[in-house]
Amino acid sequence: MPELNRPVTEVAAGILLDQDGRYLLGQRPAGKPYAGYWEVPGGKIEAGETVFEALQRELQEELGILIDSCEEIMVLEHDYPHAYVRLHVNIIRSWQGEPRGCEGQQLSWQELLADKPSVEPLLPAAWPMLEKLKLILN
Ligand SMILES: Nc1nc2c([nH]c(=O)n2[C@@H]2O[C@H](COP(=O)(O)OP(=O)(O)OP(=O)(O)O)[C@@H](O)[C@H]2O)c(=O)[nH]1
């Protein structure tokens, strides 16, 4: 629970899963909090948007793809110095187009079966998402 009066930033995170058992991480661009850290693609949910709409918009902006659907796997909260965030974590299995770093960010496909990602550091709140992903897909 956030401390009294601390605003909650609602965020949608989309784990793209391909047919070879891989998921996608992106590196946060310069100028954002935690620049250089790796994360699951996504971003803040705007007023009036559903989680699906937010993911459609964010992944189009960040990766140049159009997602067809999403499945929520967990909601998790994390207290950062710059914000208290509530992350709506979704799996995305179907999309149009080939993901590319539209904001100049690096992308990296990761093996689901690997012990840990081959890139680092990861945003602190990305770790529980990956653990949950492994749990439900095993
Ligand atoms: N996309 C994403 N955000 C995450 C993850 N983990 C995590 O703690 N966050 C936090 O959720 C928030 C997402 O905000 P963002 O900065 O990516 O959103 P945005 O693209 O809408 O930002 P903008 O307002 O600067 O354009 C950040 O505070 C970020 O630290 C993650 O795995 N993916």
Side-chain angles (χ1 to χ4, degrees):
M1 287 276 287
E3 280 169 39
L4 211 57
N5 293 333
R6 189 130 201 248
V8 177
T9 304
E10 303 282 347
V11 176
I15 304 175
L16 291 187
L17 269 187
D18 76 4
Q19 310 241 333
D20 302 322
R22 299 182 310 162
Y23 64 92
L24 188 68
L25 292 178
Q27 194 173 30
R28 287 177 70 79
K32 287 197 177 191
Y34 284 89
Y37 279 64
W38 291 83
E39 67 175 4
V40 167
K44 294 175 197 124
I45 303 172
E46 290 180 357
E49 270 184 338
T50 62
V51 171
F52 174 66
E53 287 165 349
L55 282 174
Q56 257 199 337
R57 178 180 51 73
E58 287 284 354
L59 273 54
Q60 191 156 29
E61 287 169 11
E62 287 179 16
L63 305 174
I65 61 167
L66 189 60
I67 65 166
D68 297 319
S69 59
C70 60
E71 301 162 46
E72 187 159 284
I73 59 164
M74 75 188 305
V75 177
L76 81 103
E77 297 186 357
H78 194 90
D79 195 356
Y80 287 101
H82 67 282
Y84 186 99
V85 298
R86 181 179 296 136
L87 290 136
H88 301 261
V89 185
N90 282 255
I91 293 180
I92 296 159
R93 297 174 191 270
S94 172
W95 63 87
Q96 314 298 320
E98 188 59 37
R100 57 199 156 81
C102 298
E103 297 174 339
Q105 79 278 33
Q106 299 293 314
L107 302 180
S108 176
W109 285 100
Q110 295 288 322
E111 299 288 338
L112 203 51
L113 290 177
D115 285 343
K116 61 184 181 65
S118 64
V119 292
E120 59 176 56
L122 241 58
L123 277 184
W127 289 103
M129 298 182 201
L130 300 184
E131 274 163 30
K132 179 77 176 184
L133 186 63
K134 284 187 181 174
L135 265 180
I136 60 173
L137 295 179
N138 267 337

